[in-house]
Structure formats: C-alpha cells, structure tokens
C-alpha cells in the first residue's frame, strides 16, 4: 500500500511539474494566472512567484492587478527575500492606498526591514531603518491588529542598539581606555535612560572611572576621584540592592581613602 501511495504521489508531482513548465513557457497569460494562483494558494511560493513575475506587467491597469501585485510581494516575503518584498509591498501601498490589503502590506513591508536587521555586533544602519519603518506604520495605523507585534519588534530592535552601545563602552574598559569607556557609558545612559542594561552600565562606568582615577596623574587625580565617587553614589541611589554593590562599595572605599591621602599630601 505504501509503495502504491508513493508511486501515486510521484505521478502527481511529475504532472504538477509538467504543468508548471508548460505554463512557464506558454504565451497564454490566463493559463499562467490560473496556475500561479493555484500555486500561491498551495504555498508554492517560488513557482508562483516565477509565473506572477511574468504576467504582472501585462495586467497593469486592469482589475486583477491589485491582487496580483499583493500576491507577487507575498511570494517574495515568504521566500525570505525581504529587501525585494519590502520594496513590492511599499509599492503596493503607494498604488492601492485604499485596498483592504494596504494595512497588511504596510506592516509586512516594515517587518521585512526588521528581518534585514543584522546581529548587534555589526553595523546597525538597517536596524535604525527598520525602527523608523515600523514607527511609521504604528503612526499610520494606531488601531491596527498588528500594533502589538509592531511594538514588540521595535522593542527588540531598540535593545539591539542598546546592546551595541553597551558593548562598545564595555570594550573600551576591557582594553583599558578608561576615559573613552566613561564617556561612552555616560552617552549610553543619556541615550537609553530606560534600558534594562542601566544597572550594568552604571557599574561598569564606575569601574572605568575608578581605574581612571587611581591611575591618574596628580594634576587630574582629585577631580577624577570625585567623579568616580559621584558615580558610586549614583549607582547606590538607583540600585541599592544591585548585584554589583559589594564590589562597588570596595571601590568606593578605596577611592575615598585615595582622596584622603591625596588631600593630605597636597
């Protein structure tokens, strides 16, 4: 029975492939439209795309063009070609702003940019662009059924930018460029005041400021010691139960002792 089933399945697939190849080479636009629609409904995105791509120019200005344009964009989206799909979905919303599919197209266009966002360690130009596109969608459709998902995607992309900025600042600390690290963490805390990494950022800022002060020349030492102590106070006020507090207290005690010694010596 199993063998007979597989033989039948193979026969169906062969016929299907034969029909597709025939339609692909045919000059019959209606045949391409019919099979392209069937393949689309069956989720055969690549084959459907090839047929739709052939006939779409021939339907421009006709009633079927709206449906074909959306299907064409959806095929490229489902195939994972997000640069192309976003382009086609945006084109769809420009041409058919009153379509019942315009909201979905606008969301999928923006979501395509989300998928093109790289990992946080790489250049984040596409991430910024994706946030902008999703925010434009949210502004245009404040009551959309896709609103919750759009906001979730923006939040995820925002965190990627936070993570990128945080790791850059932390890397300065690791290579012992403490001045650059303090500056970077200060910028991070100003740019991302509500970040989930704020506790860590304030601790690592203190760590960098501590090392900068302890290793400083006398002309700059007092000012840098006071700066580092102020960063400890800021951390303690914001996160009195921070997991880093024990280490932070030890650094602060050393900073205050160093400041007393320096003041006596001066």
């Amino acid at each position: 029975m199993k063998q007979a089933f597989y033989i039948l399945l193979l026969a169906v697939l062969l016929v299907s492939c034969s029909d597709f190849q025939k339609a692909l080479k045919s000059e019959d636009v209606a045949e391409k439209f019919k099979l392209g629609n069937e393949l689309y409904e069956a989720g055969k995105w690549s084959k459907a795309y090839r047929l739709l791509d052939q006939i779409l120019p021939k339907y421009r200005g006709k009633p079927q063009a709206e449906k074909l344009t959306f299907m064409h964009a959806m095929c490229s989206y489902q195939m994972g070609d997000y640069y192309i799909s976003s382009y086609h979905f945006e084109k769809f919303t420009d041409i058919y702003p009153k379509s019942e599919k315009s909201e979905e197209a606008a969301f999928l266009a923006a979501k395509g940019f989300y998928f093109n966002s790289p990992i946080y360690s790489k250049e984040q130009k596409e991430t910024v662009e994706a946030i902008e596109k999703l925010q434009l969608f949210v502004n245009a459709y404040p009551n959309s059924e896709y609103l919750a998902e759009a906001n979730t995607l923006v939040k995820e992309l925002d965190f990627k930018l936070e993570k990128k900025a945080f790791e850059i600042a932390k890397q300065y600390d690791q290579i012992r460029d403490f001045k650059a690290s303090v500056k970077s963490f200060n910028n991070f805390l100003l740019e991302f005041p509500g970040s989930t990494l704020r506790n860590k950022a304030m601790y690592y800022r203190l760590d960098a400021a501590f090392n900068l002060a302890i290793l400083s020349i006398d002309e700059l030492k007092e000012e840098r010691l006071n700066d580092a102590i102020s960063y400890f106070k800021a951390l303690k006020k914001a996160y009195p139960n921070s997991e880093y507090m024990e280490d932070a207290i030890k650094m602060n005690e050393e900073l205050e002792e160093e400041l007393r010694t320096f003041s006596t010596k001066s």
Side-chain angles (χ1 to χ4, degrees):
M1 286 293 291
K2 282 187 177 180
Q3 186 176 7
F5 171 77
Y6 287 126
I7 291 173
L8 179 61
L9 179 62
L10 180 61
V12 171
L13 289 172
L14 288 173
V15 171
S16 175
C17 289
S18 175
D19 288 345
F20 172 71
Q21 292 298 332
K22 180 182 176 182
L24 203 61
K25 297 173 184 178
S26 172
E27 296 297 322
D28 189 337
V29 176
E31 181 187 354
K32 291 178 189 284
F33 184 100
K34 180 176 179 295
L35 184 57
N37 189 69
E38 290 174 359
L39 291 168
Y40 178 88
E41 293 297 333
K44 306 293 184 182
W45 310 113
S46 179
K47 288 182 177 180
Y49 182 86
R50 291 178 67 185
L51 288 173
L52 298 175
D53 199 50
Q54 286 186 346
I55 64 175
L56 187 57
K58 301 181 185 299
Y59 278 94
R60 288 206 174 99
K62 296 181 180 180
Q64 301 94 328
E66 180 181 331
K67 179 181 179 180
L68 281 173
T69 303
F70 183 87
M71 290 167 59
H72 185 248
M74 181 62 85
C75 284
S76 55
Y77 178 85
Q78 294 291 351
M79 289 159 58
D81 196 346
Y82 300 116
Y83 283 110
I84 295 298
S85 68
S86 290
Y87 169 79
H88 287 309
F89 277 128
E90 286 187 335
K91 188 175 179 182
F92 178 89
T93 59
D94 287 342
I95 299 172
Y96 307 105
K98 296 182 179 180
S99 169
E100 63 177 19
K101 289 287 190 179
S102 63
E103 180 180 324
E104 182 181 1
F107 174 67
L108 292 177
K111 193 173 181 180
F113 284 94
Y114 160 83
F115 283 122
N116 286 324
S117 170
I119 60 172
Y120 77 87
S121 58
K122 294 187 175 181
E123 170 61 42
Q124 293 299 302
K125 178 182 176 182
E126 288 89 350
T127 302
V128 173
E129 188 174 20
I131 292 172
E132 290 173 351
K133 294 290 185 179
L134 284 162
Q135 195 58 59
L136 285 173
F137 170 79
V138 169
N139 294 342
Y141 299 94
N143 300 313
S144 172
E145 63 180 292
Y146 306 108
L147 185 63
E149 185 179 356
N151 285 329
T152 297
L153 297 179
V154 169
K155 188 175 181 180
E156 184 179 330
L157 293 167
D158 277 335
F159 182 75
K160 197 178 288 188
L161 296 181
E162 292 173 22
K163 182 72 170 172
K164 172 81 171 180
F166 176 85
E167 291 298 333
I168 289 173
K170 187 178 175 183
Q171 188 174 42
Y172 280 128
D173 191 33
Q174 291 172 337
I175 64 173
R176 301 180 68 79
D177 189 347
F178 302 121
K179 185 177 180 180
S181 183
V182 170
K183 182 178 180 181
S184 294
F185 276 122
N186 277 330
N187 290 338
F188 174 88
L189 292 165
L190 284 171
E191 189 173 354
F192 306 106
S195 173
T196 56
L197 297 171
R198 186 172 178 80
N199 180 12
K200 284 186 177 181
M202 294 183 78
Y203 168 74
Y204 281 109
R205 178 180 65 173
L206 169 60
D207 182 69
F210 168 83
N211 286 297
L212 182 63
I214 295 298
L215 300 173
S216 186
I217 59 175
D218 285 351
E219 286 82 353
L220 301 172
K221 199 175 192 72
E222 184 174 12
E223 179 183 356
R224 288 176 174 175
L225 286 167
N226 283 316
D227 285 345
I229 290 170
S230 73
Y231 294 149
F232 167 77
K233 291 178 179 177
L235 173 63
K236 186 178 180 181
K237 181 178 180 181
Y239 301 99
N241 299 314
S242 171
E243 61 189 290
Y244 306 109
M245 190 51 63
E246 186 177 347
D247 286 341
I249 288 172
K250 289 178 181 177
M251 280 191 279
N252 185 62
E253 288 173 349
E254 188 172 342
L255 288 165
E256 289 184 340
E257 178 61 29
E258 189 76 14
L259 184 59
R260 284 193 294 271
T261 303
F262 181 80
S263 298
T264 303
K265 185 172 64 175
S266 299

